[in-house]
Amino acid sequence: MTPESSASPLKIPLLEKYGPTMTKEEVAETLHIPRHIIQPLTRAGLFTPFGEPKKYCVKRYSSEVIARNMVDQNWLDKMVAAIHRHWRNKNARKRAKQAGNPPATVSQTVKT
């Protein structure tokens, strides 16, 4: 095992430019996902902001936790599943609205 491969997860080049906390814009840039997807991922329990920020406050996320999750295959699978679920629910609500039907409630359970 080389010394580089046993280094801490914070040695990921994308995270080296950030401090110990990251905003949702920085998290989205690091994960290469759109910024508006961070909220559904937070709602699914995949991200936890520091403190208990109110609705319109800037949320800060741990860069160490993000780094650990970026190398965890199971977490990445859950993240992709949550993104798919978000768009599936959003599109179902849109189709129901266009058809004139009330939107059905869809379960937000997370596969563990």
Side-chain angles (χ1 to χ4, degrees), residues 17-23 26-27 50 59-64:
K17 62 183 176 180
Y18 303 118
T21 63
M22 302 167 69
T23 62
E26 295 166 344
V27 172
F50 282 123
K59 282 126 182 106
R60 308 287 301 180
Y61 302 92
S62 169
S63 57
E64 183 177 342

Side-chain angles (χ1 to χ4, degrees), residues 1-39:
M1 190 181 250
T2 62
E4 293 86 28
S5 64
S6 64
S8 95
L10 283 176
K11 297 300 180 191
I12 296 174
L14 292 171
L15 293 172
E16 287 180 349
K17 62 183 176 180
Y18 303 118
T21 63
M22 302 167 69
T23 62
K24 73 177 182 178
E25 290 82 7
E26 295 166 344
V27 172
E29 178 186 341
T30 303
L31 294 173
H32 299 290
I33 58 175
R35 184 178 60 181
H36 66 272
I37 296 294
I38 300 298
Q39 183 180 7

Side-chain angles (χ1 to χ4, degrees), residues 18-103:
Y18 303 118
T21 63
M22 302 167 69
T23 62
K24 73 177 182 178
E25 290 82 7
E26 295 166 344
V27 172
E29 178 186 341
T30 303
L31 294 173
H32 299 290
I33 58 175
R35 184 178 60 181
H36 66 272
I37 296 294
I38 300 298
Q39 183 180 7
L41 294 177
T42 301
R43 201 176 311 123
L46 296 171
F47 294 120
T48 305
F50 282 123
E52 295 180 10
K54 299 295 181 191
K55 186 175 182 179
Y56 294 107
C57 292
V58 175
K59 282 126 182 106
R60 308 287 301 180
Y61 302 92
S62 169
S63 57
E64 183 177 342
V65 172
I66 300 296
R68 254 190 320 223
N69 290 339
M70 284 178 68
V71 296
D72 181 12
Q73 190 70 30
N74 292 328
W75 185 87
L76 291 172
D77 183 47
K78 289 178 185 179
M79 182 186 80
V80 171
I83 292 170
H84 286 233
R85 187 173 44 254
H86 166 72
W87 285 109
R88 187 172 51 247
N89 293 341
K90 190 169 182 162
N91 289 333
R93 286 191 305 268
K94 182 179 176 181
R95 281 191 299 274
K97 184 178 177 183
Q98 289 174 344
N101 301 332

